Amino acid sequence: MSKIRTRMGDGYVTELTLQELRDDLVAGSADAVKRGKVPPLEENEVDWLADLFANPSRIMGVDPGREVVLTKDGSVNTLYSAQLSSGVGLPLSREQCFRVFERAFCFDTMEIGHPDYSYKPVKPIVALEATGVEQALLTAIIPVFYGAMPNFGLYAQPDGPFPNPADLLPRGEVEAAREAQMAMAGACKADMLYVSRIMAEVGADGINFDTTASTGDAEFLAVLETVEELAATTDLAIEVGMAAEFVLGFHGQLEYRGKRLAGMWPHQQVKVVEEAGAHLFGPVVNTNSRRSVPWNVARAVTIVKECSRVATIPIHANVGMGVGGVPMFEVPPADVLTRASAAMVMIGRVDGL
Amino acid sequence: MGTGDPYGMSISHALASGMGGIRTTGDLVARMQLRKKMRLPQAKQYVADKLKVGLDDLADSTVMRGLRQELDIGVITAVPGARKGIEAKRNIAELLDVEVPCLKRL
């Protein structure tokens, strides 16, 4: 029997028989069902994925008419920044990079962001950031986002002013760790509001909170409360992109409007993000580098499909390095990247990527 | 979308799944998602109705290249005299009957 060439979650090539491919697809979906408590893929969806991966073509895509809107977290850093942003170090300004994304890559929207890509370091230089957004707004036609990460870790010692919960918890100082997280949440929220309001004043189309909840439920709460305030007081379109597939209970007791945040999966996350007033939600499903890409893609689309089903706002899934079935590798191979892309649209039924 | 080098991530997604930005109607459909929280089918239908084209035309560069120039809402190639940047967005706001926040500054 001929073998199907695909890849593992670390990007390296592997070969599967058709039966092994189907077994991986079913197993990946079953893992999503077990962990995320979501419905499994239908038989015809497994068939579609099997055809997708068994096709020997180098790249694949969605059916004509099924194209989706693209938003880009990480901004234009990928063109001018260094390896920290998978950047290729082009000697271009951010404003020039924005135009490249609009006119050469044909993106539907794009983002201006600081190379550090966190709200806290942006605060003292927000005038520079706002100027970059203004330049893009004058010269570009596509919608202009400003984007950055809440990056909660920057608010704990030694990088920030508050006691570090990761030091307190191993010592059994649970209440002190919770208090520290709430203080960090307050400071993080203040920074996100400060930067976002200035972007609203200069006329940005949207604001992106990328890798939300990277440090768990307190960070998620800070973003939700920020979104709530911005939705009520500005014209900004608000995108909330997650950091991981479920919310860590680093605090453990936090709720948003009566819903416990710790342990939430994408189909639950989107409901509190909607309640807060956001316009776009970016679910994440982590890639397991020791499993095949078909296993990972089947798992990712099973989880995202349920998120898309219950959502009332557009879903822009994260399908980048290490998430959405894409290998954990900074130069993702186009063969599996395009298959993950197509699968997320055709089976995950997202509104964008 | 996610991170990765420009060729492997941004360009690959754009070719596999993207609407095509100002080459087609990707920016217009995006605006309806951002301003009105429209899901994709609703946003596409809204834009198709406003442009008086079929849904299949929305991501077809052969159809949209000429129509965008006719509507003067910005085209992908550098055409002297065609609306650029914020000029094109003013026409887009009128065409789609949608708010473009930066236009409030004019």
Side-chain angles (χ1 to χ4, degrees), chain A residues 86-99:
Chain A
S86 301
V88 293
L90 291 175
L92 296 172
S93 71
R94 289 185 297 179
E95 294 77 10
Q96 290 170 318
C97 291
F98 195 100
R99 300 295 298 281

Side-chain angles (χ1 to χ4, degrees), chain A residues 86-245:
Chain A
S86 301
V88 293
L90 291 175
L92 296 172
S93 71
R94 289 185 297 179
E95 294 77 10
Q96 290 170 318
C97 291
F98 195 100
R99 300 295 298 281
V100 170
F101 263 96
E102 177 182 73
R103 297 201 161 254
F105 297 176
C106 297
F107 264 53
D108 306 307
T109 70
M110 200 48 215
E111 195 181 271
I112 293 285
H114 183 261
D116 194 288
Y117 206 57
S118 300
Y119 280 97
K120 186 183 174 191
V122 165
K123 193 174 180 183
I125 57 160
V126 71
L128 171 66
E129 299 304 283
T131 303
V133 169
E134 284 180 321
Q135 292 293 330
L137 286 168
L138 280 170
T139 58
I141 297 170
I142 60 174
V144 180
F145 277 86
Y146 187 79
M149 302 183 291
N151 209 345
F152 217 49
L154 293 179
Y155 296 88
Q157 295 166 3
D159 298 312
F162 303 108
N164 196 322
D167 293 333
L168 296 168
L169 284 172
R171 296 202 296 263
E173 298 179 43
V174 177
E175 277 313 309
R178 285 178 174 151
E179 286 174 17
Q181 288 179 71
M182 295 317 291
M184 292 161 64
C188 183
K189 180 183 166 187
D191 288 351
M192 291 189 288
L193 283 171
Y194 180 81
V195 171
S196 300
R197 282 179 177 141
I198 289 173
M199 297 308 163
E201 283 172 17
V202 301
D205 291 292
I207 191 87
N208 183 18
F209 299 102
D210 184 44
T211 67
T212 290
S214 62
T215 316
D217 47 355
E219 182 181 322
F220 195 20
L221 182 63
V223 170
L224 292 170
E225 290 180 351
T226 301
V227 170
E228 189 175 310
E229 205 159 324
L230 292 174
T233 57
T234 74
D235 288 335
L236 290 167
I238 305 164
E239 179 165 19
V240 175
M242 299 303 288
E245 60 194 26

